[in-house]
Amino acid sequence: MKKAPIGLFYGSSTCYTEMAAEKIQRQFDNGAMDVMNIADTPVSEMQHYQQLILGIPTWDYGELQEDWEDHWDDIDTVDLSGKTVALYGLGDQVGYPEWFLDAMGYLHNKVLVQGANIVGYWPNKGYEFTESQALTEDKQYFFGLALDDENEFDQTDERISTWCNELKTHFTLPS
Ligand SMILES: Cc1cc2nc3c(=O)[nH]c(=O)nc-3n(C[C@H](O)[C@H](O)[C@H](O)COP(=O)(O)O)c2cc1C
């Protein structure tokens, strides 16, 4: 089957990251994006896409979501050099303020060393937490879109829409 220009890969234990994936897909034209759950699609499929969106929630005090954890080493076998990659993360800044979105930070660092061109950094404004591994050195930006459906569900749609508009300036899409 012909691949879409963008591949979105996510892992999700209680469906929030999955719901966000569907919302992100709706921001783009029909057929612009294939959406895949890494629980049932091998991460090696990433190699077929030049443009990727990766969705990852943080679990258990700063840990990777279980499907990402299961396939963590497989990601090293995918050649990401020259690919345009954007990340989004789900977390709970009130319940887990010392580990907010940590897993997105670990995934960012992993794809960065593999030569991906990362886009879609997101301002750290309007969030309240103590620590996060998903922040730039100056702490001004998250490494990708920061979503908190536990506490700020009402802001999710707008955040997704703003972020996707920004991604459209980086991604190449058929006109
Ligand atoms: C047991 C448990 C541990 C969690 N640990 C963290 C954490 O360390 N950091 C964080 O930002 N969010 C944490 N969360 C919040 C989840 O990331 C959040 O609920 C997210 O929306 C789950 O996404 P998913 O349904 O796609 O798996 C935790 C949630 C639970 C229930």
Side-chain angles (χ1 to χ4, degrees), residues 12-17 58-62 91-92 96 99 101 150:
S12 187
S13 298
T14 51
C15 288
Y16 287 100
T17 309
T58 301
W59 277 86
D60 300 328
Y61 308 96
D92 172 355
Y96 303 89
W99 303 273
L101 300 172
E150 310 282 335

Side-chain angles (χ1 to χ4, degrees), residues 114-129:
Q114 284 170 250
N117 169 34
I118 302 181
V119 298
Y121 280 19
W122 180 254
N124 172 18
K125 243 191 184 164
Y127 300 87
E128 270 184 54
F129 56 93

Side-chain angles (χ1 to χ4, degrees), residues 110-170:
K110 195 174 182 70
V111 300
L112 186 67
V113 294
Q114 284 170 250
N117 169 34
I118 302 181
V119 298
Y121 280 19
W122 180 254
N124 172 18
K125 243 191 184 164
Y127 300 87
E128 270 184 54
F129 56 93
T130 320
E131 244 176 272
S132 173
Q133 300 299 316
L135 289 175
T136 53
E137 220 177 319
D138 62 8
K139 302 199 188 300
Q140 300 297 303
Y141 290 90
F142 288 102
F143 292 139
L145 176 63
L147 298 176
D148 180 347
D149 275 358
E150 310 282 335
N151 307 292
E152 297 175 345
F153 184 74
D154 54 333
Q155 294 188 54
T156 291
D157 286 7
E158 198 182 327
R159 284 172 171 165
I160 286 177
S161 160
T162 306
W163 186 65
C164 288
N165 283 337
E166 150 92 11
L167 292 191
K168 285 173 191 169
T169 67
H170 297 289

